[in-house]
């Protein structure tokens, strides 16, 4: 009987540990999103477009979207959005002082909308979003890529 009790305790403890480990998430989507939002906002380079752009909005949301909106001085507005589950890869063209981050999607998954454009309002799809950045080191770019990659398989399609 003593062997049975010890065996039962071992099995129960193992099962509980497995159960707790299976449902524990050391890093949540909210943490990845928070890091991405802070990094992209902190390193956004308004000076690359300040002669054309009045203001911008850049949001990475907890419900799985990346949204980037630019308001031009002439009244035109450009809006880019894609679902984080569609993130494929990213490229950075520039140096540590200044450059552009290209967020690429798996297909034509980026919604592009323009308002108050001389050519008329346009709705289209694209494969990437370009975000101007400044003062960013390669290590930070690698962390941004890792966070996007960690989010994309977790976000439902």
């Amino acid at each position: 009987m003593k062997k049975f009790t010890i065996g039962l305790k071992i099995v129960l403890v193992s099962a509980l540990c497995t159960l707790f480990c299976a449902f524990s998430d050391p890093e949540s989507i909210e943490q990845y999103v928070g890091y991405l939002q802070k990094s992209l906002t902190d390193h956004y380079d308004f000076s690359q477009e300040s002669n054309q752009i009045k203001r911008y909005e850049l949001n990475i949301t907890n419900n799985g979207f990346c949204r980037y909106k630019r308001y031009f001085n002439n009244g035109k507005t450009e809006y880019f959005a894609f679902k984080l589950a569609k993130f494929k890869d990213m490229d950075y063209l520039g140096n540590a002082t200044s450059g552009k981050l290209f967020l690429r999607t798996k297909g034509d998954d980026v919604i592009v909308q323009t308002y108050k454009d001389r050519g008329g309002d346009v709705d289209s799809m694209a494969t990437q979003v370009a975000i101007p950045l400044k003062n960013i080191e390669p290590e930070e770019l690698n962390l941004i890529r890792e966070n996007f990659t960690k989010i994309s398989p977790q976000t439902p399609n």
Side-chain angles (χ1 to χ4, degrees):
M1 186 71 167
K2 198 172 194 179
K3 288 182 183 180
F4 176 74
T5 307
I6 292 173
L8 185 61
K9 287 180 182 177
I10 290 172
V11 169
L12 285 175
V13 169
S14 301
L16 284 174
C17 287
T18 304
L19 183 68
F20 289 137
C21 290
F23 290 107
S24 68
D25 185 14
E27 295 178 335
S28 67
I29 289 178
E30 288 79 19
Q31 288 173 313
Y32 302 138
V33 166
Y35 176 80
L36 289 170
Q37 180 70 43
K38 183 173 178 358
S39 294
L40 294 177
T41 303
D42 288 351
H43 294 288
Y44 187 86
D45 190 3
F46 188 74
S47 66
Q48 285 187 37
E49 302 175 323
S50 63
N51 58 341
Q52 301 171 359
I53 304 292
K54 185 175 11 177
R55 66 184 175 98
Y56 76 96
E57 295 172 10
L58 179 59
N59 296 306
I60 309 293
T61 67
N62 286 339
N63 62 352
F65 280 92
C66 176
R67 295 187 174 110
Y68 177 44
K69 200 171 200 177
R70 301 185 311 171
Y71 300 89
F72 289 80
N73 292 329
N74 64 4
K76 174 182 167 182
T77 303
E78 284 183 342
Y79 173 75
F80 303 89
F82 70 92
K83 200 167 194 168
L84 296 174
K86 302 294 184 176
F87 173 79
K88 180 180 178 183
D89 200 3
M90 64 179 233
D91 294 314
Y92 182 76
L93 299 178
N95 54 36
T97 307
S98 180
K100 285 204 185 245
L101 179 68
F102 293 90
L103 301 175
R104 302 191 192 287
T105 58
K106 296 174 182 173
D108 286 342
D109 299 311
V110 178
I111 298 167
V112 181
Q113 297 175 323
T114 59
Y115 307 101
K116 300 178 187 171
D117 191 9
R118 291 181 186 166
D121 293 349
V122 177
D123 290 345
S124 62
M125 300 299 283
T127 59
Q128 67 184 8
V129 177
I131 300 171
L133 298 180
K134 65 179 177 185
N135 302 329
I136 190 160
E137 296 296 324
E139 296 81 21
E140 292 173 279
L141 289 169
N142 288 335
L143 286 172
I144 289 171
R145 173 181 277 129
E146 285 176 25
N147 280 278
F148 269 118
T149 304
K150 288 176 183 176
I151 290 173
S152 61
Q154 294 181 18
T155 308
N157 290 329

